[in-house]
């Protein structure tokens, strides 16, 4: 099977990462590539790392330019996918890397995004219970946010077991590519280098309702999430440190054995999630350029809290890799096809 695949938003960071992966996918023929302000330019002007596609010309983003493809991957800012997807045929697989179709609660969408809710699509996190069945044969897929991917996979076994109470604290650091490619003064090199800063403090980050949604579904009850994201002086990567209070049945002394058994069972057959050996902690450098998530757990007996740490590449497993992984499942292809497991180091 050779699939004709188009990428809308190919000039951005997410679009460029999607193309890097698709260029190595044995079942993909890369079709139309679109941009916005860069329309009419050769791709190599804005994505010089993509040498094999450097001479391809970026088209305007419209339903007409995207028509006739088997798959359309949307790497657009939030609010732009819904109208475009509505103009594409039901027989076209549309995979949205934006936020438009992730949330189930219309009120949560309106509160955080300020517009009408466009609907909810099958959720492109294959590791979530039941997700693969929902993705098989789907023609519309919503890729999770990068922070929700990191946090959900860090905590998922703890809530499904359940090992922890439904109240979570998350502090996560992200590289600057998570903010997109648009020029912003606070993302200038002189502002970022040698400095870390929080943002979206006090529940204001737009990924917060997605975190609540995912963990609540896993736990089978409402989970509150205190989420503090921070900006780290690196181009890409997320390191998420998550903690929650242990339930009474988990003994804080020796409870780590029970916790590890739960996590080992949950991720034993997952191709892209690795529970690290005891004493080895996740690092963003180890997962750079890969579709792999590294996870580690610890128990703080004095505080009776479980600490779960994950690291991923926000542009690969956090966005583009999640999109390609979900695309593969939807089309009945091997899930790992075209996706790197190993990171790039040093």
């Amino acid at each position: 099977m050779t699939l004709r695949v188009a990428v809308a938003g190919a000039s951005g960071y997410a679009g460029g990462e999607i193309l890097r992966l698709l260029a190595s996918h044995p079942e993909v023929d890369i079709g139309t590539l679109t941009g916005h302000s860069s329309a009419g330019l050769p791709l190599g002007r804005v994505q010089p790392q993509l040498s094999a596609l450097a001479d391809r010309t970026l088209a305007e983003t419209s339903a007409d330019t995207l028509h006739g493809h088997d798959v359309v991957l949307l790497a657009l800012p939030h609010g732009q996918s819904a109208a475009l997807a509505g103009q594409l045929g039901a027989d076209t697989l549309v995979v949205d890397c934006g936020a438009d179709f992730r949330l189930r609660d219309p009120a949560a969408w309106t509160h955080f995004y300020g517009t009408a809710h466009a609907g909810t699509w099958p959720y492109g996190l294959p590791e979530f219970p039941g997700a693969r069945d929902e993705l098989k044969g789907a023609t519309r897929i919503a890729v999770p946010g990068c922070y929700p991917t990191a946090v959900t996979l860090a905590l998922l076994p703890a809530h499904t077991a359940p090992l922890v109470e439904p109240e979570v604290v998350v502090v996560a650091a992200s590289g600057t590519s998570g903010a997109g490619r648009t020029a912003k003064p606070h993302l200038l090199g002189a502002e970022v280098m040698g400095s870390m800063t929080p943002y979206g403090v006090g529940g204001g980050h737009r990924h917060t309702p997605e975190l609540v949604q995912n963990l609540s579904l896993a736990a089978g009850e409402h989970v509150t999430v205190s989420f503090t994201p921070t900006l780290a002086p690196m181009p890409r990567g997320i390191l998420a440190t998550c903690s929650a209070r242990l339930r009474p049945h988990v003994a804080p002394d020796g409870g780590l054995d029970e916790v590890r058994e739960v996590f080992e069972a949950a991720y034993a057959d997952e191709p892209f999630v690795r529970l690290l050996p005891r004493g080895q902690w996740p690092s963003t450098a180890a997962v750079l350029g890969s579709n792999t998530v590294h996870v580690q757990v610890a128990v703080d007996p004095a505080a009776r809290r479980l600490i779960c740490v994950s690291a991923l590449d926000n542009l690969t497993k956090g966005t583009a890799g999640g999109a390609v992984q979900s695309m593969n499942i939807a089309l009945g292809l091997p899930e790992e096809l075209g996706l790197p497991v190993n990171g790039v180091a040093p």
Side-chain angles (χ1 to χ4, degrees):
M1 175 194 313
T2 299
L3 303 163
R4 184 81 168 156
V5 181
V7 178
S11 56
Y13 290 139
E17 186 73 354
I18 289 169
L19 289 173
R20 180 178 77 89
L21 299 177
L22 292 180
S24 299
H25 197 297
E27 302 295 338
V28 163
D29 175 25
I30 297 175
T32 300
L33 310 179
T34 79
H36 179 54
S37 59
S38 55
L41 295 176
L43 182 68
R45 287 280 297 276
V46 293
Q47 304 283 16
Q49 76 278 14
L50 300 174
S51 298
L53 301 169
D55 295 332
R56 301 286 294 275
T57 300
L58 289 162
E60 292 281 352
T61 301
S62 70
D64 288 339
T65 58
L66 298 172
H67 180 72
H69 292 81
D70 299 302
V71 182
V72 175
L73 289 154
L74 303 178
L76 304 172
H78 74 266
Q80 296 186 16
S81 298
L84 187 59
Q87 301 175 61
L88 299 173
D91 57 342
T92 300
L93 171 56
V94 181
V95 183
D96 183 21
C97 294
D100 291 24
F101 299 98
R102 294 172 184 163
L103 297 183
R104 300 186 177 199
D105 182 0
W109 171 269
T110 302
H111 176 76
F112 279 88
Y113 291 91
T115 59
H117 187 232
T120 307
W121 288 356
Y123 194 64
L125 186 63
E127 296 82 4
F128 201 89
R132 287 185 173 92
D133 289 337
E134 190 176 9
L135 290 171
K136 289 176 183 176
T139 59
R140 296 292 188 269
I141 296 172
V143 179
C146 50
Y147 279 126
T149 298
V151 174
T152 302
L153 293 177
L155 287 167
L156 184 59
H159 283 289
T160 56
L163 299 170
V164 294
E165 302 288 355
E167 182 178 335
V168 172
V169 176
V170 176
V171 178
S174 173
T176 57
S177 61
R181 200 165 193 171
T182 302
K184 302 177 181 73
H186 73 284
L187 297 178
L188 292 171
E191 303 292 333
V192 173
M193 289 187 297
S195 176
M196 285 190 68
T197 54
Y199 64 102
V201 180
H205 194 281
R206 284 172 167 164
H207 285 176
T208 301
E210 193 177 347
L211 295 174
V212 171
Q213 172 180 282
N214 291 0
L215 298 179
S216 297
L217 286 170
E221 61 181 318
H222 181 71
V223 176
T224 62
V225 180
S226 174
F227 174 45
T228 303
T230 62
L231 185 67
M234 59 186 183
R236 54 202 287 172
I238 287 177
L239 185 71
T241 302
C242 320
S243 75
R245 188 168 180 81
L246 293 168
R247 288 186 181 266
H249 69 82
V250 183
D253 295 324
L256 182 57
D257 290 337
E258 180 180 351
V259 170
R260 286 194 65 87
E261 286 177 7
V262 168
F263 274 71
E264 286 167 357
Y267 290 139
D269 298 322
E270 288 296 344
F272 298 115
V273 183
R274 182 173 181 236
L275 178 66
L276 297 179
R278 292 173 187 257
Q280 183 179 0
W281 289 94
S283 70
T284 57
V287 293
L288 181 67
S290 78
N291 199 53
T292 301
V293 182
H294 284 179
V295 175
Q296 185 56 282
V297 293
V299 170
D300 181 342
R304 283 198 55 84
R305 295 188 74 83
L306 173 65
I307 297 92
C308 304
V309 180
S310 67
L312 56 71
D313 187 320
N314 60 295
L315 293 180
T316 316
K317 178 57 173 170
T319 308
V324 173
Q325 187 180 350
S326 298
M327 177 193 80
N328 286 341
I329 294 170
L331 296 170
L333 298 171
E335 187 172 333
E336 302 93 331
L337 210 59
L339 293 170
V341 175
N342 298 320
V344 178

